Amino acid sequence: MTAAVADNTAKVLANDPSTLPDVKDHDGNLRVQSDIYEASGLTASSTIAIAYLPNGAKVKEIIVDHDALGSSSTLACGDADTAARYFAASSTSSAGTLRLSAIGGRNFQVQTEDASGDDTRRILLTTAGATINGTIKTTVVYAVDG
């Protein structure tokens, strides 16, 4: 049996102030932005801005609760750079809950301008498959310094 230690835990156990983990990953301050959008005839390929995070924030969780939005409808969650950074297009034909599931989205640090020149601070839902109608409630949890 091997006893492994994760990266940030190893930094804490080393008890060396110069190697402490980023405060957004350990002992940081969590913030929440919640919103509600009432879709009415919103066509496929539309975007819905659900949060606008401060520069440098790290995304910890995204939860999207939705009505049955329409047959063959889907929602993806991402930003201006990557439409499915947080979760890929998922069916919204039946009422349900979608959550951050893309490994690259968990702890993603948003920037005013990323390597592609896009602002990744605006969290977006992208519709596909069909026109949607119904209520969408969102919660975005993120960490900031201090």
Side-chain angles (χ1 to χ4, degrees):
M1 181 174 93
T2 302
V5 180
D7 292 346
N8 285 333
T9 302
K11 291 176 183 177
V12 171
L13 292 174
N15 199 25
D16 179 358
S18 67
T19 63
L20 289 177
D22 183 334
V23 71
K24 290 182 280 284
D25 290 328
H26 195 278
D27 293 331
N29 292 304
L30 292 179
R31 302 282 189 262
V32 176
Q33 289 187 24
S34 297
D35 216 334
I36 298 173
Y37 180 76
E38 193 64 45
S40 179
L42 188 65
T43 58
S45 300
S46 297
T47 61
I48 305 164
I50 62 168
Y52 191 67
L53 306 183
N55 192 40
K58 282 193 177 180
V59 176
K60 299 297 181 181
E61 180 65 272
I62 296 176
I63 305 163
V64 177
D65 299 306
H66 59 86
D67 287 343
L69 298 178
S71 179
S72 301
S73 66
T74 66
L75 289 176
C77 186
D79 53 45
D81 184 47
T82 305
R85 183 179 310 280
Y86 302 108
F87 60 79
S90 302
S91 176
T92 54
S93 297
S94 300
T97 299
L98 304 171
R99 295 184 80 123
L100 190 155
S101 59
I103 195 164
R106 178 94 49 207
N107 293 313
F108 178 76
Q109 187 164 347
V110 302
Q111 298 297 322
T112 302
E113 189 173 298
D114 72 355
S116 302
D118 294 313
D119 185 338
T120 58
R121 295 176 301 162
R122 186 181 310 254
I123 309 300
L124 303 170
L125 296 177
T126 302
T127 67
T131 297
I132 65 170
N133 295 286
T135 303
I136 301 169
K137 295 182 178 183
T138 62
T139 303
V140 177
V141 180
Y142 59 97
V144 295
D145 289 332

